[in-house]
Amino acid sequence: MPIKSRWSCDVPKYSLLNFLFNTPTHPLSKDPLYIDSHNPDNHFLSTHAHRSLVLRIASGLIASGLQPGDRVLLFSGNNIFFPAIFTGSIAAGGIFTGANPGLTARELAQQLKDSGAKFLIANVLSIDVAIDAARVAGVSPRNVFAFDDGLYMDVDGNVVKWESKADVKGMRHWSDIVEAGTEKFAWDELKTDGGYNRTAAINYSSGYFYTSLIPPF
């Protein structure tokens, strides 16, 4: 028999993007938010710059062919740009799925096929595994991007420099996504007739997966 809490509160309903950023143009802090511990003085993202990057990734993915509901798989360890790939994929109308960077090519291929991923963004340190997995899973080489932490942005969201934009093993660099996009992009409300319940991410753990829905914040 369910036990009901004696406490309750009204929870306003927002999409994930509105919860994080309010709107695509709402004033946001320019204080550092995501900070690279190895280079904290020069390598960071403010909240404002983070949203700018999210908007560029979202519109860049769409320019690269992403359709609503397409899966974007990020195969990488953590860095300060990981959250922007996650949120940008959702803002584009896609569904994010992340893969453990320790996966073998066979395991990654299985996740690519199981999730139905159309795009694969893979850390440069794991690009050989990603290439093999994409070939087995039938992911177009045109949709495989090498990912790194070599982007530097100022607090206003302007790109200061890329340490490198070179193709890696013939795969495109994720700067192609960012530079195909624009910060003038506006996400949709991520709503369905039933409310804020579109799938945002497919997360895998120990061989199982579950879907994460846009939370009713």
Side-chain angles (χ1 to χ4, degrees):
M1 180 178 178
I3 300 174
K4 187 176 181 179
S5 173
R6 63 180 180 272
W7 292 286
S8 65
C9 65
D10 293 327
V11 180
K13 292 185 177 181
Y14 296 106
S15 72
L16 178 62
L17 279 302
N18 292 97
F19 176 73
L20 291 173
F21 305 122
N22 197 308
T23 73
T25 58
H26 182 77
L28 295 175
S29 170
K30 294 184 179 181
D31 294 331
L33 172 68
Y34 296 104
I35 302 170
D36 184 345
S37 61
H38 296 292
N39 188 3
D41 294 330
N42 299 303
H43 205 201
F44 56 81
L45 288 175
S46 67
T47 307
H48 179 90
H50 173 61
R51 181 181 61 189
S52 175
L53 183 57
V54 165
L55 297 177
R56 294 182 193 190
I57 290 170
S59 52
L61 283 169
I62 292 171
S64 300
L66 182 142
Q67 298 294 316
D70 282 346
R71 277 68 165 166
V72 180
L73 192 153
L74 178 57
F75 180 49
S76 176
N78 292 326
N79 65 37
I80 62 173
F81 305 113
F82 192 115
I85 298 290
F86 173 86
T87 311
S89 300
I90 297 169
I95 298 172
F96 175 86
T97 182
N100 187 314
L103 294 184
T104 65
R106 178 184 61 80
E107 292 168 332
L108 179 59
Q110 174 60 29
Q111 184 168 335
L112 285 166
K113 290 187 286 187
D114 189 74
S115 66
K118 181 177 179 180
F119 293 87
L120 172 59
I121 303 173
N123 193 283
V124 293
L125 300 178
S126 305
I127 199 69
D128 288 329
V129 173
I131 291 170
D132 289 345
R135 176 179 50 79
V136 171
V139 177
S140 170
R142 184 72 183 165
N143 291 342
V144 180
F145 297 85
F147 179 58
D148 55 32
D149 62 354
L151 169 61
Y152 285 77
M153 301 181 77
D154 62 23
V155 295
D156 294 316
N158 301 307
V159 174
V160 176
K161 68 174 182 177
W162 292 89
E163 284 188 343
S164 172
K165 296 194 293 184
D167 292 345
V168 180
K169 301 279 179 88
M171 298 299 103
R172 299 168 68 189
H173 189 261
W174 73 291
S175 58
D176 288 357
I177 296 173
V178 176
E179 294 180 352
T182 172
E183 62 180 5
K184 303 299 184 182
F185 176 78
W187 59 80
D188 68 25
E189 285 301 302
L190 304 175
K191 292 180 69 174
T192 66
D193 291 340
Y196 295 99
N197 61 353
R198 276 176 42 182
T199 301
I202 303 175
N203 298 318
Y204 287 73
S205 177
S206 303
Y208 298 92
F209 75 91
Y210 58 92
T211 57
S212 297
L213 303 180
I214 298 290
F217 289 113

